[in-house]
């Protein structure tokens, strides 16, 4: 089986998003393997919060000690990194605990009579049934949360795919209109539908933004993502274009995407 220039036969949403923003950045990160990541408190808080919510979904127990243990471990593991900015576990826990207090009520109000289906469900689905010319490639991802609510007809269910996003403030219009952001759940819905042979009309998608600076009772923002066959097809076309470009060695610098790029003004992208 032939491999992509990335030395693997699968693609993830983060990789697709990276390529769609700047194929040269993708080349540096995924082909050349130039790692510019610096551990930081935002990653620690996001993962700690996700892990605690995952436990709650499975058990209905909000065990905040899971978050504290993760923050302490992350701090210890990265304290030797000179670029790592240390944080106060107690201060970050105050923000996390306030968020976690809002989650159960928010789920009950937005998804009445919800039942747990899966957390961190892995997708590893072949793209060959959805596009031609890439038979050896799979799409890989992890869905944060899958829950079900009673359908309109007796005995039926409506499934909800949820992705948790921690943020400093609510998502604004720019974020809500960003196709690169919305594409994640569009792809997840399409591939989850294929995996379980469930009609897309019985599946809904949403980001739930967990706002760190919000007041109690206001920490959760629901962002519904509309996904029909047409919008899903457009997202699949991005994968098709990416795979075709990778196989042909095409990589182009997008100077419009430089503002927040870690490679900007480095030897890799002067």
């Amino acid at each position: 089986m032939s491999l992509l220039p990335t030395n693997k036969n699968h693609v993830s949403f983060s990789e697709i998003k990276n390529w769609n923003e700047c194929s040269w950045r993708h080349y540096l990160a995924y082909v050349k393997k130039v790692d510019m990541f610096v551990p930081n408190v935002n990653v620690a808080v996001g993962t700690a919060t996700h892990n605690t919510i995952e436990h709650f979904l499975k058990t209905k127990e909000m065990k905040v000690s899971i978050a504290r243990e993760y923050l302490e471990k992350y701090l210890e593991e990265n304290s030797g990194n000179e670029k790592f900015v240390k944080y106060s576990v107690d201060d970050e826990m105050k923000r996390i605990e306030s968020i976690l207090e809002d989650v159960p009520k928010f789920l009950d109000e937005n998804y009445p009579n919800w039942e747990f289906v899966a957390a961190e469900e892995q997708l590893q689905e072949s793209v060959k049934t959805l596009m031609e010319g890439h038979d050896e490639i799979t799409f890989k991802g992890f869905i944060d949360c899958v829950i079900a609510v009673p359908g309109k007809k007796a005995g039926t269910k409506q499934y909800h795919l949820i992705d948790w996003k921690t943020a400093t403030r609510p998502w604004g219009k720019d974020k809500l209109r960003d196709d690169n952001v919305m594409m994640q759940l569009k792809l997840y819905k399409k591939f989850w539908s294929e995996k379980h042979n469930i009609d897309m009309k019985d599946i809904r998608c949403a980001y739930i933004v967990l706002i760190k600076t919000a007041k109690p009772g206001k920490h959760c923002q629901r962002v519904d993502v509309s996904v029909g066959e047409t919008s899903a097809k457009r997202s699949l076309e991005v994968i098709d274009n990416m795979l075709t470009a990778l196989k042909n060695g095409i990589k182009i610098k997008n100077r419009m995407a430089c503002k927040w790029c870690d490679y900007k003004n480095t030897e890799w992208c002067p």
Side-chain angles (χ1 to χ4, degrees):
M1 181 182 293
S2 61
L3 293 173
L4 294 169
T6 56
N7 202 36
K8 58 187 181 183
N9 268 16
H10 68 262
V11 293
S12 64
F13 165 71
S14 59
E15 183 179 353
I16 296 164
K17 179 176 181 291
N18 202 311
W19 177 87
N20 202 34
E21 290 173 344
C22 178
S23 58
W24 178 255
R25 183 203 300 161
H26 173 274
Y27 169 73
L28 294 176
Y30 292 91
V31 179
K32 297 293 290 184
K33 314 293 185 185
V34 180
D35 187 4
M36 302 292 286
F37 174 74
V38 177
N40 60 79
V41 65
N42 292 328
V43 172
V45 169
T47 305
T49 307
H50 278 58
N51 291 350
T52 310
I53 294 175
E54 180 180 348
H55 178 82
F56 167 74
L57 292 169
K58 294 176 178 177
T59 66
K60 295 297 180 74
E61 175 194 23
M62 191 63 79
K63 192 175 180 180
V64 296
S65 61
I66 293 173
R68 176 173 288 276
E69 289 169 5
Y70 184 85
L71 288 181
E72 291 173 345
K73 179 181 178 183
Y74 193 89
L75 182 61
E76 180 181 357
E77 289 178 346
N78 294 289
S79 59
N81 187 330
E82 61 182 18
K83 295 183 179 180
F84 176 67
V85 179
K86 294 182 180 181
Y87 53 81
S88 165
V89 172
D90 288 339
D91 288 347
E92 298 306 326
M93 279 304 301
K94 290 177 183 177
R95 298 183 182 93
I96 291 175
E97 287 177 11
S98 188
I99 291 172
L100 295 176
E101 286 177 4
D102 282 2
V103 170
K105 182 180 179 181
F106 183 85
L107 286 175
D108 289 341
E109 290 178 348
N110 283 265
Y111 306 97
N113 301 311
W114 66 273
E115 63 179 66
F116 172 73
V117 176
E120 287 297 308
E121 179 178 351
Q122 182 173 1
L123 295 173
Q124 187 88 49
E125 310 310 308
S126 172
V127 303
K128 68 180 180 180
T129 59
L130 303 175
M131 62 186 74
E132 297 179 357
H134 309 296
D135 289 359
E136 74 280 19
I137 307 302
T138 59
F139 174 83
K140 183 178 181 179
F142 292 88
I143 303 176
D144 288 345
C145 170
V146 183
I147 57 177
V149 300
K152 293 182 179 180
K153 294 182 180 180
T156 64
K157 294 181 180 180
Q158 185 182 82
Y159 295 91
H160 291 266
L161 311 185
I162 294 172
D163 193 86
W164 311 101
K165 299 291 188 187
T166 53
T168 303
R169 58 186 61 85
W171 282 7
K173 292 181 180 179
D174 288 347
K175 195 88 167 183
L176 299 176
R177 294 171 180 169
D178 190 336
D179 290 337
N180 261 345
V181 174
M182 298 300 133
M183 181 168 53
Q184 179 178 6
L185 283 180
K186 292 178 181 180
L187 290 172
Y188 281 5
K189 177 173 177 175
K190 183 62 176 177
F191 284 105
W192 195 81
S193 170
E194 291 287 321
K195 177 181 178 180
H196 294 283
N197 194 28
I198 295 174
D199 197 306
M200 287 182 64
K201 67 180 178 60
D202 295 323
I203 306 170
R204 300 289 185 271
C205 298
Y207 294 106
I208 295 182
V209 185
L210 305 172
I211 308 160
K212 293 184 287 185
T213 58
K215 295 179 180 179
K218 302 292 185 180
H219 283 293
C220 301
Q221 176 193 18
R222 175 174 169 174
V223 178
D224 290 312
V225 180
S226 178
V227 189
E229 289 293 346
T230 300
S231 61
K233 182 180 179 181
R234 286 198 294 265
S235 296
L236 292 173
E237 287 172 352
V238 175
I239 300 180
D240 187 17
N241 293 337
M242 171 188 170
L243 294 175
T244 301
L246 280 176
K247 291 175 180 179
N248 288 291
I250 300 171
K251 43 192 180 291
I252 302 171
K253 294 181 181 180
N254 176 16
R255 293 299 185 183
M256 300 296 291
C258 290
K259 186 175 182 179
W260 306 111
C261 183
D262 291 334
Y263 299 104
K264 182 181 178 182
N265 296 330
T266 68
E267 62 179 300
W268 304 105
C269 194

